[in-house]
Amino acid sequence: MAIIIEDSVFTLQTKNSTYQMKADDKGILLHTYYGKRTDATDYSYLVSMADRGFSGNIYEAREDRTYSLDFLPQEFPVCGSGDYRVNCLHADLGEGVNDCLMFFDSYRTYHGKYALEGLPAMFSTEEEAVDTLEIVLKDNQEAFYLHLLYGVFEEHDIITRAAVIENRTDREIRLHKVLSGCLDMDHDGMDLIHFYGKHAGERQMERVSLFHGITELRSTRGTSSHQHNPFVILADQKASEDMGECFGFSLLYSGGFHMQAEVDQFHQTRLVMGIDDCDFTWSLLPGETFVAPELAMGYSGEGLAKLSHCYHDSFHGHLIRSFWKEKRRPILVNNWEATYFDFNADKLLQIAREAADLELDMLVLDDGWFGKRDNDDAGLGDWFVNEKKLGGTIQELADKVNGMGLMFGLWFEPEMISEDSDLYRQHPDWAMVVPGRNPIRGRAQLVLDMGREEVLSYIKERLFAILDAANIQYIKWDMNRSVAAAYSALLPRERQGEQRHRYVLGLYHVLEALLERYPNLLLEGCSGGGGRFDAGMLYYAPQIWCSDNTDAVERLHIQYGTSFGYPMSSVAAHVSVCPNHQNGRVTPFKTRGVCAMQGAFGYELDLSKLSEEEKAEAKEQVRTFKKHYKLFQFGDYYRLTSPLLNRDFTAWEYVDKTGKEAILSVVYTDLHGNPAANTVKFRGLCPQVIYQMWRDKEPAGEYTGAALMNGGVLLPVPVENYDSCQIYIRQKE
Ligand code: GLA
């Protein structure tokens, strides 16, 4: 077992990391170690105690003025304990008790991984078992319990955690904040790496040094958001791609989140993360529990690439459940940028015919096929096929597409409602609008109350009716605005603070029901591009539309940022037309393919308008993706350059797990007269192996792995703006 327990010391061991806690003599659960794998020594000897001015002492410390939660490293710090740093829990126990103080009560361990009711969670598999530790804390006076759950993914250096609150008192408890976890470190000098952004510019990597005070990130938008991502890294200031310690924190949650990192008065660092607590309240009645979402913590002592591999592999093996996960992802063409709302069956079939010629796998019909939906002002909620526009039933269309040897996929935006829709006319109170007040519109639409049973039933009934009517193998599940007023007509005033979380639970409920009924369905997540790109979504959707920005060069940044915490097979990326619809940039067709092959590959343009030369290039791209899909989907991914630091080119690489073959891709982002020679070094190869090399499919010599990793490869000189190149190597037979 990966869990060792001795004298109230709990040590969790993964292949390369150790995590330790201790219930001390007062019953406080201290955090004593997280880092490089070591033994199960009781590391609480490192905790220093002193009488520190103005740091209060809990009553249980009696006369001991050196014992203060204001500086002790803790597993789950709570509000009101005399710890003035950021914390994880704020509970109003009633009758004036606004604070709680949690003490060790009991523990249990078992083989297998805990699950979380109604929420996504990583799981164990037959091949790779996982162990669970559950520690129970209890308030010193009330029957108020906190279950801290730990899942140890030994092979992947991932430790998951979650918190379950239980009310065993006989009165209502009001929760104002329940975060998922905390990490206390005994030092400062850490960098925070995070991923900020905007619509059409998600997950821009930024690295900042933490300072004395609080750095915080949050989304209050009802989704994980374009603006901040619920994945962050604490990295040693010297850590780089291939060296140094780094710690990852990925929240498996698709709603608003909150992350705070604080460096305190004694130069200690604390990070807490969980559901956004802004406006959050939850009434916990006697006998009820509240489950906070899972936080997956990762450790690497060998830099950021290794940390990314921990997340890529563990999410692939233990989070993504799709029927599609081991299969080659279908290469699809989506009609959105090709037609927007202006299409009919002939147009769609014309695109499909071209797609079949180019040997693509699927046609995806995007927005505009239902209700009265010829622009984005109307129709959301009316999930009835517009047979006039499609010139027949959805089944007829799907059959024709299938007849060309293609699969058929469909876009939905089930969480939304247009004011100009039959659904709104029938059920205005299903929208989250405060009675008597004007709503905040977003893209001229309102958000449905996903906390409401009849709304969920309606969505399921409509989705199932359409999926039952035709052979639909893929759904793009979209969500195109932020939640503003999180109001539910069903909840009393004092419970409105529950609505944001109830919304997310409702969403997860429908997604689960959908996959249960159609287990072979390929679900692609989307929220105005990548506004809900989080590990919670990956539990349902193995791929997520990464951004509405399809420009190859901007995608270099977006996909670079996304790669830190998410497997590349989840990053949906398409070749689109030029000048690009988002920024007007012109890039070579070849380069657009190289960038899109970085993730789940497809096209998003009118294939019938391609020139003969472009068609030939597209055929070549399709062949390349099909031939090397195992590398692209399951290989180890290396960021070889950073688009933030190297202005001339961006390079990345996939190596198969045995090191026998690899693909290195380069996109030039600047041109120079009299250009300097550029080299780039492969990573992850076998030093002794001799590799044969092909540069853009042309033989380019033989080299040892050692030469390619230490000397590198000389890159061809770019011949046009945004030129690109793919270098493939394979072990010589
Ligand atoms: C969002 C998506 C796009 C497209 C449109 C349709 O913006 O990100 O890909 O599906 O909605 O309205």
Side-chain angles (χ1 to χ4, degrees), residues 293-496:
E294 182 158 286
L295 182 64
M297 301 188 302
Y299 171 80
S300 160
E302 295 162 52
L304 295 162
K306 180 82 192 302
L307 185 72
S308 293
H309 295 167
C310 296
Y311 281 101
H312 293 182
D313 294 346
S314 66
F315 283 177
H316 178 76
H318 301 275
L319 177 62
I320 294 173
R321 301 175 291 172
S322 177
F323 165 79
W324 286 93
K325 86 166 166 183
E326 301 298 342
K327 301 189 167 44
R328 179 172 68 70
R329 293 294 166 76
I331 303 176
L332 59 87
V333 58
N334 176 304
N335 75 308
W336 180 241
E337 284 200 21
T339 66
Y340 296 103
F341 292 102
D342 186 15
F343 59 83
N344 55 27
D346 288 346
K347 183 71 224 172
L348 296 171
L349 293 173
Q350 187 191 24
I351 296 176
R353 258 189 301 278
E354 296 290 344
D357 266 6
L358 296 173
E359 294 177 20
L360 269 60
D361 304 303
M362 189 191 295
L363 173 80
V364 173
L365 172 50
D366 210 280
D367 197 353
W369 55 265
F370 53 91
K372 193 181 113 200
R373 181 79 173 165
D374 289 322
N375 55 48
D376 57 12
D377 284 337
L380 290 171
D382 294 343
W383 302 107
F384 295 89
V385 179
N386 183 343
E387 294 185 358
K388 198 161 152 232
K389 190 166 178 178
L390 295 189
T393 64
I394 194 85
Q395 184 176 356
E396 281 162 352
L397 180 64
D399 287 348
K400 282 183 196 151
V401 172
N402 291 163
M404 295 177 196
L406 296 174
M407 295 182 266
F408 181 63
L410 205 55
W411 178 96
F412 280 92
E413 197 183 353
E415 300 153 66
M416 295 294 144
I417 182 164
S418 303
E419 286 157 275
D420 185 0
S421 69
D422 291 340
L423 186 68
Y424 189 76
R425 284 181 278 275
Q426 281 158 23
H427 300 287
D429 60 324
W430 284 11
M432 292 202 285
V433 177
V434 183
R437 297 189 68 87
N438 293 327
I440 305 287
R441 295 178 174 136
R443 206 193 186 196
Q445 63 200 49
L446 306 179
V447 187
L448 282 170
D449 180 349
M450 296 290 287
R452 218 170 145 150
E453 202 87 4
E454 58 270 54
V455 170
L456 303 184
S457 302
Y458 172 77
I459 293 174
K460 283 190 277 185
E461 189 268 316
R462 282 292 83 221
L463 278 167
F464 295 171
I466 289 167
L467 288 175
D468 286 346
N471 186 21
I472 295 166
Q473 287 172 290
Y474 158 111
I475 281 187
K476 179 173 169 189
W477 183 293
D478 211 339
M479 197 289 192
N480 282 324
R481 60 159 291 177
S482 301
V483 174
Y487 174 85
S488 173
L490 287 195
L491 292 174
R493 181 179 179 183
E494 65 280 8
R495 297 193 76 153
Q496 291 295 335

Side-chain angles (χ1 to χ4, degrees), residues 662-664 682 693-696 713 715 725-729:
I663 276 198
L664 186 156
F682 275 85
M693 178 182 289
W694 289 263
R695 195 180 285 134
D696 282 339
V713 58
L715 299 178
C725 173
Q726 273 178 330
I727 298 171
Y728 172 65
I729 57 168

Side-chain angles (χ1 to χ4, degrees), residues 585-725:
R585 196 196 314 260
V586 176
T587 52
F589 195 86
K590 173 184 166 196
T591 297
R592 286 175 256 158
V594 169
C595 287
M597 271 182 242
Q598 203 174 4
F601 181 56
Y603 291 81
E604 177 120 3
L605 40 67
D606 187 345
L607 294 173
S608 69
K609 292 194 179 139
L610 293 185
S611 67
E612 286 311 311
E613 204 182 317
E614 286 172 332
K615 276 187 193 164
E617 184 67 53
K619 274 197 175 148
E620 206 46 53
Q621 291 168 349
V622 169
R623 260 198 294 272
T624 303
F625 186 78
K626 287 186 178 171
K627 182 164 173 214
H628 298 303
Y629 82 91
K630 287 195 174 140
L631 272 174
F632 293 130
Q633 289 182 199
F634 316 123
D636 283 339
Y637 181 79
Y638 289 96
R639 295 169 291 267
L640 300 180
T641 65
S642 155
L644 298 169
L645 303 175
N646 185 332
R647 308 264 315 267
D648 290 345
F649 64 90
T650 299
W652 62 93
E653 178 200 1
Y654 295 88
V655 190
D656 88 318
K657 295 267 177 216
T658 62
K660 285 196 177 131
E661 55 170 356
I663 276 198
L664 186 156
S665 303
V666 183
V667 173
Y668 297 92
T669 43
D670 206 358
L671 286 180
H672 302 280
N674 194 12
N678 287 314
T679 55
V680 64
K681 292 173 184 167
F682 275 85
R683 297 195 56 199
L685 305 181
C686 309
Q688 267 81 317
V689 162
I690 296 174
Y691 293 92
Q692 288 176 294
M693 178 182 289
W694 289 263
R695 195 180 285 134
D696 282 339
K697 303 212 161 66
E698 295 297 324
E702 292 178 4
Y703 306 87
T704 61
L708 293 173
M709 289 194 290
N710 299 313
V713 58
L714 194 57
L715 299 178
V717 175
V719 295
E720 59 178 325
N721 217 1
Y722 307 118
D723 204 356
S724 60
C725 173

